[in-house]
Amino acid sequence: MLKGFIFFKTGKIPFVINNYRMELFTDDILLNDFCKEYNSKNNYLLNGQCFDTGISGRIAVFLVEYSLGTTCYLRCYTISMLTKDEHFRFDTIGLQSSFLDDIFRYKYNYLDLVQSGYNLAIQPIDVYRIPFDMNDLHYEFTFRIGLDTRLGLLENFDKKGELILPLHTKQIQECYNITQVFYRLAMFMTSLANVPFKQITLYNKGAKAGWFYCPLCSENILSGYDLYFHDFNVMKYIPKILNNIALDSGSKITKSIPLGHLGDFDSLFSPQRFMEQIVSFEYLFDKLDRKNAQNTRFPLKQELTHMFNEFPHLLSNTKASSEKTSEQIKELRRTIVHGYSYYYDFKNDHNIQYLMLLLDNLIKNMSLKWIGFSTEDILNYIIL
């Protein structure tokens, strides 16, 4: 829980934040004026101070998604290291995530560097530099491992890898867009919906300036996917995948690959996720074969058959044909959509589990093709 106050007109309004919901409270007429001004607005900024480290307030900026009465629902916020009433400046964002560590092969790079004679407890090393474009702006991020002893060895002793990215607009909205894109990158690479950041740091001229907080952050979840990326060619796959994901940094997806069908361990096998898989398949089929996608005489079964024939390796270890498999998926969709039956527990039906895992792989292959990878690249890509 975070406490503080926001600046409004010539006064201050106290707040309490819990789970990114800011509750404002005061007997002053100032709160009524605030409600009249902001209850009809969306996506606006508030400036204030928070008191999370004692009696000295630190500068804070809040991006409010929308307000209802005296409640502000926050999209994200930043907190400065400064306690003085100074302008909060930052020019770089640093993302720490155990999932990104796995994707960028932190453990394997660490071992290779140490065996080569590098002392990563003295000076950090940039392992990858990868450019990408987002919102008509050109970026280049660095994946960095190691500690800088000039800041003190225990300054961030738990830190492993960190993704460092210089900013253009240096605004909180840009930080939010960047976190969305790299969160989606981790989603696609791990095939999981819940891949939170551990910590997001803001820097100014190389020095730590503050922190960025959003619902995509959590310290309670750890990854365990490093084995899958043992032989992963980062420089071959990540630039293309990231550039595609960055085509859509907002909530509406029109150009990039779909990710809404991904789930966590609790929702891996459910009727809802199966239907989301179908939506993602249809979205990608429209991208890859617009003519047949718009043809009303080319139903779902034919679309599925066409795509399974496009990626025959998906059924190479089974006796089922593409036509039979497509018929099973089509029939499962029909029984759910038209209410002929409802499956309360997909986990007990092994055939449904197999079909859903097969759909996941098909969607992953179609996504890689839409990104622009060749058939050989797709066959050599790791499948999670």
Side-chain angles (χ1 to χ4, degrees), residues 315-373:
L315 298 174
S316 61
N317 294 326
T318 69
K319 296 181 179 180
S321 65
S322 58
E323 291 82 4
K324 181 178 179 180
T325 303
S326 301
E327 172 65 26
Q328 289 180 308
I329 294 173
K330 183 269 295 183
E331 185 62 18
L332 179 58
R333 175 188 175 275
R334 186 184 69 86
T335 57
I336 293 175
V337 171
H338 295 286
Y340 296 120
S341 62
Y342 189 86
Y343 297 84
Y344 282 99
D345 191 359
F346 271 34
K347 298 177 182 179
N348 291 331
D349 193 316
H350 297 297
N351 186 57
I352 290 178
Q353 292 179 36
Y354 165 73
L355 292 176
M356 293 187 69
L357 293 174
L358 189 60
L359 268 176
D360 278 338
N361 286 335
L362 179 60
I363 293 169
K364 177 71 71 102
N365 279 254
M366 293 171 68
S367 296
L368 292 170
K369 184 175 181 179
W370 172 238
I371 290 171
F373 289 104

Side-chain angles (χ1 to χ4, degrees), residues 192-205:
L192 280 177
N194 192 15
V195 285
F197 299 103
K198 179 181 179 181
Q199 181 175 295
I200 302 177
T201 309
L202 300 174
Y203 298 95
N204 187 41
K205 298 179 180 179

Side-chain angles (χ1 to χ4, degrees), residues 158-171:
D158 293 330
K159 182 171 70 173
K160 294 182 178 179
E162 186 173 22
L163 195 149
I164 305 293
L165 180 64
L167 302 171
H168 284 285
T169 67
K170 304 172 186 177
Q171 300 295 322

Side-chain angles (χ1 to χ4, degrees), residues 58-118:
R58 296 192 294 168
I59 302 167
V61 179
F62 306 94
L63 178 58
V64 182
E65 186 173 2
Y66 66 95
S67 300
L68 288 176
T70 59
T71 303
C72 299
Y73 295 88
L74 304 180
R75 191 181 297 274
C76 56
Y77 59 91
T78 60
I79 297 179
S80 172
M81 292 187 67
L82 302 175
T83 57
K84 297 180 180 179
D85 189 13
E86 300 176 5
H87 183 62
F88 184 14
R89 296 183 179 88
F90 54 86
D91 56 25
T92 303
I93 188 170
L95 307 173
Q96 294 181 43
S97 162
S98 60
F99 295 94
L100 292 177
D101 286 344
D102 290 345
I103 295 166
F104 290 101
R105 306 176 68 254
Y106 165 78
K107 290 182 180 179
Y108 304 108
N109 283 304
Y110 185 94
L111 289 174
D112 289 342
L113 288 168
V114 170
Q115 290 173 356
S116 299
Y118 288 96

Side-chain angles (χ1 to χ4, degrees), residues 283-305:
Y283 170 89
L284 284 169
F285 189 80
D286 183 75
K287 298 293 185 184
L288 296 172
D289 193 341
R290 180 76 174 179
K291 182 179 179 181
N292 283 326
Q294 298 299 313
N295 186 355
T296 57
R297 297 183 179 181
F298 206 83
L300 176 63
K301 179 183 175 181
Q302 287 183 257
E303 293 178 351
L304 288 164
T305 302

Side-chain angles (χ1 to χ4, degrees), residues 1-191:
M1 183 176 290
L2 186 67
K3 301 178 181 179
F5 56 80
I6 61 170
F7 303 117
F8 180 67
K9 294 184 176 179
T10 58
K12 300 177 181 179
I13 302 177
F15 69 76
V16 173
I17 297 176
N18 186 24
N19 197 25
Y20 293 92
R21 189 175 70 178
M22 175 189 284
E23 299 287 352
L24 303 176
F25 57 94
T26 180
D27 295 331
D28 199 298
I29 195 173
L30 199 63
L31 184 56
N32 292 330
D33 294 340
F34 176 89
C35 293
K36 291 178 182 179
E37 181 171 340
Y38 284 109
N39 270 193
S40 60
K41 292 185 178 181
N42 296 317
N43 217 44
Y44 63 88
L45 292 176
L46 293 175
N47 294 298
Q49 282 185 310
C50 67
F51 297 87
D52 58 334
T53 58
I55 60 174
S56 298
R58 296 192 294 168
I59 302 167
V61 179
F62 306 94
L63 178 58
V64 182
E65 186 173 2
Y66 66 95
S67 300
L68 288 176
T70 59
T71 303
C72 299
Y73 295 88
L74 304 180
R75 191 181 297 274
C76 56
Y77 59 91
T78 60
I79 297 179
S80 172
M81 292 187 67
L82 302 175
T83 57
K84 297 180 180 179
D85 189 13
E86 300 176 5
H87 183 62
F88 184 14
R89 296 183 179 88
F90 54 86
D91 56 25
T92 303
I93 188 170
L95 307 173
Q96 294 181 43
S97 162
S98 60
F99 295 94
L100 292 177
D101 286 344
D102 290 345
I103 295 166
F104 290 101
R105 306 176 68 254
Y106 165 78
K107 290 182 180 179
Y108 304 108
N109 283 304
Y110 185 94
L111 289 174
D112 289 342
L113 288 168
V114 170
Q115 290 173 356
S116 299
Y118 288 96
N119 189 344
L120 294 174
I122 295 178
Q123 185 176 2
I125 292 183
D126 297 341
V127 182
Y128 304 108
R129 289 183 180 273
I130 299 177
F132 70 99
D133 297 312
M134 184 185 75
N135 296 333
D136 299 322
L137 295 172
H138 184 72
Y139 293 88
E140 183 177 78
F141 75 85
T142 299
F143 184 72
R144 183 174 297 166
I145 63 176
L147 298 171
D148 189 344
T149 55
R150 293 176 301 175
L151 303 176
L153 181 61
L154 300 180
E155 183 264 344
N156 193 351
F157 191 71
D158 293 330
K159 182 171 70 173
K160 294 182 178 179
E162 186 173 22
L163 195 149
I164 305 293
L165 180 64
L167 302 171
H168 284 285
T169 67
K170 304 172 186 177
Q171 300 295 322
I172 190 172
Q173 182 66 57
E174 182 183 22
C175 295
Y176 183 77
N177 292 341
I178 287 170
T179 58
Q180 286 275 15
V181 167
F182 281 97
Y183 190 90
R184 291 171 184 173
L185 174 67
M187 286 177 64
F188 179 76
M189 298 303 300
T190 61
S191 298

